[in-house]
Amino acid sequence: MRIAITPSSAQGSALAASIIVPLVSPGFRLGVATGSTPEGLYAQLRKAHAAGEFTLAGSRAWALDEYIGIDQDHPQRYRNVLKRELVGEDKTGLADADLHTPDGLSADPEESAKLYEESITPGLDLQILGLGADGHIGFNEPSGSLSAPTNVVTLAPQTRRDNARFFDGVEADVPKRAITQGLATIMTAKKIVLLAFGEQKAQAIQGVVEGPVSAFCPASILQYHQDVTVIVDDAAAGALKLADYYRETWDSAQV
């Protein structure tokens, strides 16, 4: 696990883009996250595309998760969020047909989860992750299985409170269930880039990087992955006991 500590979220997003842009070529299989954390990264990817330095044309992207039962035209349906961020020649060149998201409107969500897992197998080339304040990645909530494939989950109260900001602050409007890539699915990605910004993520980051591997901090499973880069700003690094060592290690690797 490599830890990069940057002064700001903007610099962290730019660093993430500098890692991802050189890797992408036609046929690339990219895992994409939603939420506010990756927005800066996606802006950097759009900027690189506009400059002719990057394109997702000919590549495919898979969403981490999708709400169950959310209206097809709802602006917070994750497929719609990702289309606004990434799809089209005016954004990153990603074709709509090459954006894959779980079917949250299926009459059989469990079957949808199974089919989505099959579409991802044998794994993605790179998975982008954000991090919940309780340590979740995707919608893999604390106390869930560390070895689950794509599955149907019930959102934790903390997650629904945190996501209410996307629903005009109305927690009751946040769907209670979702289909998410499981932790086992995420771990099949060849490379993972996790972003976390702000002091509200500090305890979660400490758990991910320095805590025990535990279902109560789902993202801690990433300690077992062979190629993970964790990018945080100073605020999110605030609880790390070995922050100075991580800075020195990262700087040494860049020489």
Side-chain angles (χ1 to χ4, degrees):
M1 184 177 281
R2 294 174 295 278
I3 318 299
I5 302 173
T6 61
S8 69
S9 60
Q11 288 163 288
S13 297
L15 175 60
S18 74
I19 293 171
I20 294 168
V21 165
L23 298 176
V24 175
S25 60
F28 198 80
R29 294 162 59 89
L30 178 66
V32 289
T34 50
S36 56
T37 299
E39 290 176 354
L41 167 58
Y42 296 153
Q44 290 289 329
L45 296 183
R46 293 193 299 270
K47 180 179 178 181
H49 182 263
E53 301 166 352
F54 168 81
T55 184
L56 284 173
S59 298
R60 290 184 287 171
W62 279 261
L64 263 176
D65 40 36
E66 181 62 275
Y67 291 118
I68 289 175
I70 194 167
D71 186 78
Q72 184 170 345
D73 297 324
H74 196 290
Q76 292 307 317
R77 183 186 183 219
Y78 283 161
R79 181 172 189 85
N80 296 334
V81 172
L82 291 167
K83 285 174 67 174
R84 292 195 299 271
E85 295 283 350
L86 300 172
V87 171
E89 189 56 37
D90 61 330
K91 297 184 177 73
T92 68
L94 181 68
D96 183 71
D98 290 330
L99 172 63
H100 304 277
T101 55
D103 183 1
L105 292 173
S106 169
D108 188 346
E110 299 284 355
E111 179 65 15
S112 291
K114 178 182 177 181
L115 293 173
Y116 198 64
E117 177 75 13
E118 292 173 355
S119 79
I120 294 171
T121 304
L124 305 177
D125 293 312
L126 186 146
Q127 176 67 62
I128 298 166
L129 296 174
L131 179 70
D134 60 2
H136 75 256
I137 47 178
F139 275 135
N140 295 283
E141 302 284 18
S143 81
S145 170
L146 292 175
S147 60
T150 301
N151 65 111
V152 174
V153 296
T154 299
L155 274 59
Q158 181 64 54
T159 300
R160 296 185 71 228
R161 284 193 293 270
D162 290 345
N163 286 8
R165 68 188 188 277
F166 299 114
F167 292 82
D168 297 324
V170 182
E171 184 180 335
D173 288 347
V174 181
K176 294 182 178 181
R177 296 201 303 159
I179 298 171
T180 186
Q181 286 188 39
L183 295 174
T185 316
I186 291 169
M187 291 290 284
T188 64
K190 295 177 183 176
K191 186 179 186 69
I192 293 173
V193 175
L194 182 146
L195 306 173
F197 305 128
E199 63 181 355
Q200 75 277 10
K201 302 294 178 71
Q203 291 302 317
I205 281 293
Q206 197 278 328
V208 171
V209 175
E210 298 176 338
V213 175
S214 166
F216 282 91
C217 181
S220 64
I221 192 69
L222 297 177
Q223 293 179 31
Y224 288 138
H225 197 282
Q226 294 296 307
D227 193 351
V228 178
T229 302
V230 175
I231 301 175
V232 297
D233 61 3
D234 285 332
L240 290 173
K241 298 175 183 178
L242 299 179
D244 289 341
Y245 174 66
Y246 303 141
R247 290 186 174 96
E248 181 178 352
T249 301
W250 181 268
D251 290 344
S252 297
Q254 308 314 303
V255 175

